[in-house]
Amino acid sequence: MAIHTSLSPAFLPVLLSFIFSHPTSFTAAAPPSSLLSEAEALLKWKASLSPAQSLLSWSLTASNATTNTISPCNWSGISCNSLGSVTEISLPTAGLQGRLDSLSFLSFPNLLHLNLSSNTLTGNIPTHIGTLYKLTSLDLSTNNLYGILPLSMANLSHISELNISSNEISGKLDPIFFTNWTKLISFQLQNNQFTGNIPSEIRLLTNLQILNLGGNKINGSIPWEIGNLVNLNEIVLSYNNLTGPIPPPLGNLSSLTILNLYSNQIYGSIPPEIGNLVNLKELDLYNNLVTGSVPSTLGNLTKLTFLSLIDCQLSGSLPQEMMNMTNLSELYLHGNNFSGDLPQLCHGGSLKRFTAFDNHFTGEIPKSFRNCTSLTRARLNGNQLVANVSEAFGVYPHLIFMDISDNMLFGELLPNWGECKNLTKLQFSGNMISGRIPPEIGQLRQLEVLGLSSNRLVGEIPKELGKLTSLFNLTLNDNQLSGQVPEEIGKLSNLEFLDLSMNHLSGPIPPQLGDCSKLHYLKLSENVLNGSIPFQIGNLVYLQGLLDLSHNSLNGHISPQLAKLIRLEKLNLSHNMLSGSIPPSFEGMFSLQSIDFSYNALEGPIPNSKSFQKAPIEAFIKNKGLCGEVQGLRPCNASSTGHADVKKGHRVVFLVILPLLVTSFLLFVIVGISFICYQRRRNIEKGILVRSNENPFSIWNYDGIAVFEDIVEVTEGFDDKYCIGTGGCGKVYKANLPMGEVVAVKKLHPLEGGDHFDQRSFRNEIRALTEIRHRNIVKLYGFCSHARCSFLVYQYMERGSLASILSNDEGTAQLDWTLRVKIIKELAYTIRVTEKCDVYSFGVVALEVMMGRHPGELISSLSSPNREDILLKDLLDKRLSDPMAEVAREVVFVVSMALACIRLDPNSRPTMHRVAQELSVGGPSFSLEPFHALTLRQLMDLKV
């Protein structure tokens, strides 16, 4: 009887590779001919690579030869055994550029360790790597390898350390790997393009200590079988597409120290079994769909130093058992729906960073908070916390950032705040704090932001605040402060934002305010200030956002010196007792967008400029006798009654005819729009019918025959008159297809020498755009790979891409600094990118948004050792006015993060998770030079 053995087709190539990788000629005592084979194999591979300094010793010189035997054992990066056979090839960060195909792995029967990390190797991982059957450690991390993991790698049955992180490897994880790699201790595939599920066969890796699959596209649920891997120390599955609940069997992993599941779509509650991970030091569930309350068993994690529950959907009260986490150094709770009391934290004196803003916490600030001297950053703003500030806070020698705005704090600020010498930001706005501002706050020489607005503060503004030479933002508005504005405020040479409005301040405006040369925003409205407006205010040439002196008792003439404020956008001098005329020199204030001179005693003509002539009549009412060409104001040349009557008659005719003309025009427009909408609706319906039978844009399976011809025809063979943009990879054309679709077509440039376009870039762009879903990212409809040319078909956006908007002056005006910072933050939170590689792309985009142009030239210059240092202000988009106050700080922080993301060494770049986290906790904690003196070198040297 014949016996038939069935082999899995997927396993067959592995078996054949395994057979061929064990020829009988390979023995432990390798003959000299095999040594020559090893040297020849290395030299052949060297010849295929770009020249590298690290391989200069790889040569057939006399020093390498003894008794006619050539040995590579003295070559750099090569180690051998006692018999002279190569056992280790270690060339990390060696500047290698090329492929692995030319390295004959078959020539190294005794190779145990292979480390080629942090180079520029490209191409697929060769199948014959499976012939290294003795290999115990393999590190190919941080290269440009792509393709799939060859199944022949399952032959590496002795492998204990495998690191292929930070490449472009794709495909699914075949279960056969886990069947054969049972000796694995460290398994790191993070920052690649792996898809599919985590196979349940992972349970066979019983020796595994490190599992890192973060930064891929792995989906499905976390297999419960991972709970059997009791030797695990680290689990990192972040930045994937994982769903389902957190498996309760993870609680069996008593040796686990790190559990990172952030940026997935994990749902359900936090299982109580997590409390069994008594050795856990880091737990990160940021940006998931986890619901319910935090289990009380979390208090068992007494060794925990890092806990992040940011942007989940957790609710309820925090368990008081969290007070047992005495080693906790960083605690991030913001962006949830937590309520109730905060637990007593910081009993161990280790807590440094604590954020709980934008929740619904009530009750008192924990008493343990008073003695938490280890604190460096704390954000509890946007809750309903109740506390007497005189009792709740102590002295924090390391504190840099404190924001407890918009709560229900009361009591008085104590002098001991002056002992928090490292404070750069102190925000208590939007509470019910009473009493006086302690003069001791003037001792905080590093303080940059002081926000005490919307409280019940009384008394005078301490003159000691004039010692805060680092201060750039001071908001004391909406209190009950009295007395005069201290002239010492003029010593704040870095001040950019000053709001003292809605108080009871009296006396004159101190002329010394004109010495605050960097001021962008000045609001002194709704006080009882008197006297004239000091002409020195005209020295504030960077004043841009606002000058508001309204609702006071100011008198005298308006100084012509104020016309020097050519950057000013909003000016409000209303509700005072100003007299005389508006200086004609105000015509030169071209940036003005909003003005208000109402309720004064002004007279004479208004300035002859667009800002004044297009202002509403409400900006000039209740004055003594202003005139000018503004509807509602009398004309300045109305000298006789008869002449006035004639003009009145003309106005009557005009007022009768104008409504008729406007009505006719509107009727015409409405009819036209209705007709266009009707036609468009018919076209859309027709298009839907066409697409219901045939999908012209089908991702991944589009053959490019029909639509290719249509696109070529409607663009007349990609004629330049249809070109709407040009980039480094190709040109973009607008195509009106016969079916009624309007699309943008990116036609890729051929490579130099006439070769076809870069298939890898083509694949990457398709992959990225089909998986990213964000309102600021253009949609990909399809692609075409054709013998004549290849192109990508995008959604056509009438206003164009970000690059085209940035290149358009009108679009730039709408993208102000605040909006640009917001865009960058949204991208950081929304787009899923790999942690060390694609973070570079984020940095490039961030720089482009801030610079208003592509940063290619800048990036090239940064790699030069002789680069010239340049000022940050010279780098930013010059079509916008310089950012001011807090916005300027945000811009500085975004640029510093962007520069960190494009560092030459990928290992020194921050992870995307770190970037998003830093943007969420309030920006920089470092002190910097004034904005106009900041250089790129200073930002590049920052540790972010």
Side-chain angles (χ1 to χ4, degrees), residues 470-510:
S470 297
L471 200 67
F472 70 84
N473 187 311
L474 175 59
T475 53
L476 305 178
N477 55 291
D478 193 14
N479 280 287
Q480 300 169 31
L481 298 170
S482 57
Q484 298 189 3
V485 177
E487 62 183 38
E488 287 79 6
I489 296 292
K491 297 179 181 179
L492 303 179
S493 57
N494 289 306
L495 195 64
E496 298 179 9
F497 193 104
L498 176 60
D499 191 346
L500 306 180
S501 62
M502 302 175 67
N503 280 289
H504 304 306
L505 299 172
S506 58
I509 298 173

Side-chain angles (χ1 to χ4, degrees), residues 740-761:
E741 297 275 0
V742 180
V743 296
V745 181
K746 180 178 181 180
K747 180 174 176 286
L748 301 181
H749 293 317
L751 298 178
E752 293 183 8
D755 293 337
H756 204 38
F757 67 97
D758 188 345
Q759 283 281 356
R760 185 181 176 208
S761 297

Side-chain angles (χ1 to χ4, degrees), residues 305-320:
T305 61
F306 180 100
L307 174 60
S308 176
L309 304 177
I310 303 171
D311 291 340
C312 290
Q313 299 178 17
L314 295 164
S315 58
S317 300
L318 293 176
Q320 291 302 314

Side-chain angles (χ1 to χ4, degrees), residues 443-474:
Q443 300 172 16
L444 304 177
R445 301 303 168 85
Q446 297 187 51
L447 196 64
E448 298 171 349
V449 177
L450 176 59
L452 302 176
S453 62
S454 301
N455 279 287
R456 299 174 181 175
L457 296 170
V458 297
E460 297 185 351
I461 299 173
K463 63 181 181 180
E464 287 80 3
L465 296 189
K467 298 177 182 178
L468 302 176
T469 53
S470 297
L471 200 67
F472 70 84
N473 187 311
L474 175 59

Side-chain angles (χ1 to χ4, degrees), residues 529-603:
L529 299 172
N530 54 39
S532 60
I533 301 174
F535 71 86
Q536 290 88 348
I537 297 296
N539 296 332
L540 303 176
V541 293
Y542 288 106
L543 208 59
Q544 177 186 346
L546 177 69
L547 173 58
D548 189 350
L549 308 179
S550 65
H551 292 86
N552 280 288
S553 300
L554 300 172
N555 53 41
H557 290 195
I558 300 173
S559 172
Q561 294 295 314
L562 296 188
K564 294 193 296 184
L565 307 179
I566 57 175
R567 291 180 171 86
L568 190 63
E569 296 173 356
K570 296 181 180 180
L571 173 62
N572 192 345
L573 303 180
S574 67
H575 294 83
N576 281 288
M577 296 182 289
L578 299 170
S579 58
S581 62
I582 301 174
S585 54
F586 277 28
E587 293 177 3
M589 301 173 71
F590 299 113
S591 299
L592 280 177
Q593 299 173 9
S594 172
I595 58 174
D596 194 347
F597 293 85
S598 62
Y599 293 89
N600 280 287
L602 299 169
E603 57 186 330

Side-chain angles (χ1 to χ4, degrees), residues 279-334:
N279 289 302
L280 200 64
K281 295 182 179 180
E282 183 176 320
L283 175 59
D284 197 339
L285 303 180
Y286 157 70
N287 193 22
N288 275 287
L289 305 176
V290 182
T291 56
S293 58
V294 176
S296 59
T297 54
L298 217 63
N300 299 336
L301 308 182
T302 56
K303 295 183 180 180
L304 205 64
T305 61
F306 180 100
L307 174 60
S308 176
L309 304 177
I310 303 171
D311 291 340
C312 290
Q313 299 178 17
L314 295 164
S315 58
S317 300
L318 293 176
Q320 291 302 314
E321 287 81 357
M322 289 180 67
M323 65 183 295
N324 299 327
M325 298 178 176
T326 53
N327 290 298
L328 204 58
S329 174
E330 298 182 53
L331 176 59
Y332 302 103
L333 304 174
H334 61 268

Side-chain angles (χ1 to χ4, degrees), residues 24-68:
T24 55
S25 60
F26 288 166
T27 61
S33 60
S34 69
L35 295 179
L36 180 63
S37 172
E38 290 177 340
E40 287 179 339
L42 292 172
L43 290 174
K44 180 181 177 183
W45 185 50
K46 174 186 175 182
S48 73
L49 302 173
S50 299
Q53 288 288 117
S54 59
L55 302 184
L56 288 179
S57 63
W58 290 23
S59 61
L60 298 178
T61 62
S63 61
N64 298 130
T66 56
T67 64
N68 298 322

Side-chain angles (χ1 to χ4, degrees), residues 15 202 212 452:
L15 179 62
I202 198 171
N212 194 332
L452 302 176

